[in-house]
Amino acid sequence: MADSATPYVPERPSLPKLRETVDGCRGCPLWQNATQGVMGEGRQGAVVMLVGEQPGDQEDREGRPFVGPAGKVLDDALAAAGIDRQSTYVTNAVKHFKWEARGKRRIHAKPTWSESMACRPWLEAELAVVKPRVVVCLGATAAQSLLGKQFRVTKQRGEWVESDLAERVTATIHPSAILRQRDADARHAELARFVDDLRLVASIL
């Protein structure tokens, strides 16, 4: 039987219930090396839901999404695009941090397709409770988890995509990709493109 979070997701989910129960999820092996499960953050009824890949090192320790370096990039980009982060709901496709040891550091490792699919029931529950009007997939893992394995962010970033997930759905890069650029000029250029992608969302709010 394939791994799945389904047995661990509350039958009648609410955001408080989801936050309480996610840490007990044993739907795939990722929980074994993580500090805790990290549920999304924001309010029910948020117009925009932003979906990233998975918690990072800092998120795993604090139990909150997008509080590390990539979260700071996201905050700055949302502000530049004219979107108030407080009015959004931010979450991840995978709720436990997958990592590899490199000396004393814990380095992010990309979740597999089966790990993303095992975790999808949590994301579906969040979508059902929050009921966002706009869903923004940040990076390939989130986009493929929600829009299918064949989806390519490189080909369709920054445009509206047909989907029954919400009234409007779009995909762009994950903010961590900006941090990985080779130099300051490249980071600045990629950030500008990222802000432009988010302005598409701001244009309909």
Side-chain angles (χ1 to χ4, degrees):
M1 183 179 164
D3 288 342
S4 176
T6 299
Y8 304 95
V9 178
E11 277 188 24
R12 295 182 180 175
S14 65
L15 294 184
K17 268 191 197 173
L18 291 171
R19 288 190 196 102
E20 284 167 19
T21 52
V22 70
D23 194 41
C25 186
R26 304 293 182 262
C28 81
L30 291 186
W31 68 272
Q32 295 173 13
N33 292 325
T35 305
Q36 58 194 314
V38 181
M39 190 48 66
E41 192 168 81
R43 58 182 181 81
Q44 187 173 335
V47 177
V48 180
M49 179 184 281
L50 299 143
V51 184
E53 181 185 271
Q54 65 166 337
D57 180 76
Q58 207 165 319
E59 289 81 4
D60 175 67
R61 297 178 195 279
E62 292 189 30
R64 296 176 58 211
F66 285 97
V67 292
K72 177 68 167 64
V73 172
L74 179 61
D75 284 350
D76 291 347
L78 286 169
I83 301 170
D84 178 8
R85 173 160 166 174
Q86 299 304 313
S87 69
T88 69
Y89 184 91
V90 293
T91 191
N92 286 295
V94 173
K95 308 304 188 197
H96 284 101
F97 179 36
K98 182 177 182 179
W99 56 277
E100 297 167 353
R102 199 167 298 168
K104 292 185 176 179
R105 297 175 65 208
R106 301 190 305 168
I107 303 300
H108 155 278
K110 184 181 172 69
T112 64
W113 174 251
S114 61
E115 287 161 350
S116 294
M117 288 300 94
C119 213
R120 170 126 186 196
W122 290 111
L123 197 48
E124 289 173 348
E126 288 176 293
L127 283 162
V129 173
V130 177
K131 295 182 174 64
R133 188 156 62 88
V134 185
V135 171
V136 183
C137 302
L138 302 172
T141 298
Q144 290 177 2
S145 174
L146 286 171
L147 300 171
K149 209 171 185 178
Q150 305 310 312
F151 188 88
R152 294 290 177 267
V153 173
T154 49
K155 290 184 178 177
Q156 290 183 268
R157 73 177 281 184
E159 58 186 57
W160 297 120
V161 179
E162 281 294 318
S163 171
D164 58 6
L165 292 169
E167 188 181 313
R168 299 283 191 130
V169 178
T170 188
T172 181
I173 58 169
H174 193 282
S176 63
I178 296 165
L179 296 170
R180 291 196 298 271
Q181 295 300 307
R182 64 187 180 277
D183 56 38
D185 286 346
R187 284 192 294 276
H188 183 76
E190 200 56 80
L191 177 60
R193 281 193 71 196
F194 184 52
V195 170
D196 281 345
D197 292 343
L198 293 175
R199 285 196 177 114
L200 177 74
V201 175
S203 72
I204 61 154
L205 299 183

